[in-house]
Amino acid sequence: MESDEDHVQTLLSMGFPSELDIRKALRLAKNSLNDAVAILTNDHPTTSFDTLDDIEMKDLAKGSTNPVYGPNLPSYSDSSETEKEMVEAMEDSSDAVQEEVNPYEFPVTNLYELEGRVFAEHWSIPYKKEESLGKCLIAAANLAEAGLMDNDENCSRFVNRVMTESFQKLLTSNAVHRWSTDIHEGIFNMLQLLVDLCVARLKQQPVHQLLMDILAMKCMI
């Protein structure tokens, strides 16, 4: 399968340096941008580049379904259930070292994963605190509290680009009225984290105008 050239360029712009690795990941992921990001960031549970040529593609594509618009729904398909189980297993394995995580280190892996989902044609935005958007918002608030937000390249990339697009879609999508109550509650929790970030950043000058614009959009909904 030939790699999607648009996806190749997207992954290069996201900071992945090797075009060869990107093409291998896209071939393995059957040109799925989200799956390719997971492979490149070592989040894919079943394969690696070392075994790419030895494993049949069909064995790694089980549970594939058509993507849907809207937030990440935890039970809309068998594949999402499998993904949820894998995420939970990864979280359980990291509990032992959680206390040692640097609170001022921005979670780049979550940023890449979120970026791939937000800017996809069939976008899907996570709405739980333990998922990518929540982790990035919490990390950004920690950096803002310490006065380091504007100096962190990855945090600035999140705030100025990914976060803005995430809330634009979560708050203005025409599909919002079809989302279930638990999704609305999750979005409310994300908005609370956004407010925490704004409050932390307001302690420094000058005022971050983009954050104020997003907050104003929230108040208009």
Side-chain angles (χ1 to χ4, degrees), residues 74-218:
S75 60
Y76 73 90
S77 69
D78 292 339
S79 62
S80 62
E81 285 293 339
T82 302
E83 180 181 355
K84 178 181 177 182
E85 292 172 0
M86 292 187 297
V87 170
E88 290 175 347
M90 292 171 61
E91 291 173 347
D92 290 341
S93 66
S94 64
D95 285 343
V97 296
Q98 189 66 33
E99 294 181 358
E100 300 178 6
V101 174
N102 183 353
Y104 303 120
E105 181 178 354
F106 198 82
V108 180
T109 299
N110 292 111
L111 173 61
Y112 287 162
E113 190 265 343
L114 182 61
E115 202 165 35
R117 294 171 63 165
V118 171
F119 292 102
E121 179 181 359
H122 300 285
W123 55 271
S124 175
I125 302 175
Y127 57 89
K128 296 181 180 180
K129 289 183 178 180
E130 65 272 17
E131 295 178 324
S132 291
L133 178 57
K135 287 184 176 180
C136 288
L137 284 167
I138 292 171
N142 289 336
L143 287 168
E145 189 71 35
L148 302 174
M149 187 185 88
D150 298 343
N151 296 325
D152 188 288
E153 179 181 356
N154 292 311
C155 185
S156 295
R157 178 173 171 174
F158 166 69
V159 172
N160 296 327
R161 184 169 183 262
V162 186
M163 185 186 74
T164 304
E165 186 71 13
S166 296
F167 282 109
Q168 179 73 27
K169 288 178 174 175
L170 286 177
L171 296 176
T172 65
S173 170
N174 290 330
V176 64
H177 299 297
R178 299 196 299 270
W179 298 343
S180 61
T181 301
D182 64 318
I183 296 176
H184 283 282
E185 290 176 352
I187 295 173
F188 179 76
N189 290 334
M190 294 302 99
L191 291 172
Q192 287 185 313
L193 294 179
L194 171 63
V195 171
D196 292 342
L197 170 57
C198 292
V199 170
R201 180 57 181 79
L202 281 172
K203 296 178 182 179
Q204 287 87 41
Q205 294 295 328
V207 172
H208 197 292
Q209 189 57 50
L210 182 58
L211 279 177
M212 295 300 98
D213 291 343
I214 299 174
L215 195 61
M217 179 177 65
K218 165 188 176 295

Side-chain angles (χ1 to χ4, degrees), residues 6-25:
D6 289 339
H7 288 353
V8 172
Q9 295 304 315
T10 297
L11 291 168
L12 284 171
S13 69
M14 290 169 63
F16 296 107
S18 172
E19 183 173 338
L20 178 61
D21 286 350
I22 287 173
R23 291 185 183 278
K24 284 184 177 181

Side-chain angles (χ1 to χ4, degrees), residues 7-54:
H7 288 353
V8 172
Q9 295 304 315
T10 297
L11 291 168
L12 284 171
S13 69
M14 290 169 63
F16 296 107
S18 172
E19 183 173 338
L20 178 61
D21 286 350
I22 287 173
R23 291 185 183 278
K24 284 184 177 181
L26 284 169
R27 184 154 58 90
L28 183 60
K30 287 194 172 182
N31 279 325
S32 167
L33 187 59
N34 292 342
D35 290 346
V37 170
I39 293 170
L40 288 166
T41 54
N42 295 320
D43 282 346
H44 198 287
T46 58
T47 190
S48 66
F49 291 131
D50 294 336
T51 58
L52 176 61
D53 295 329
D54 299 326

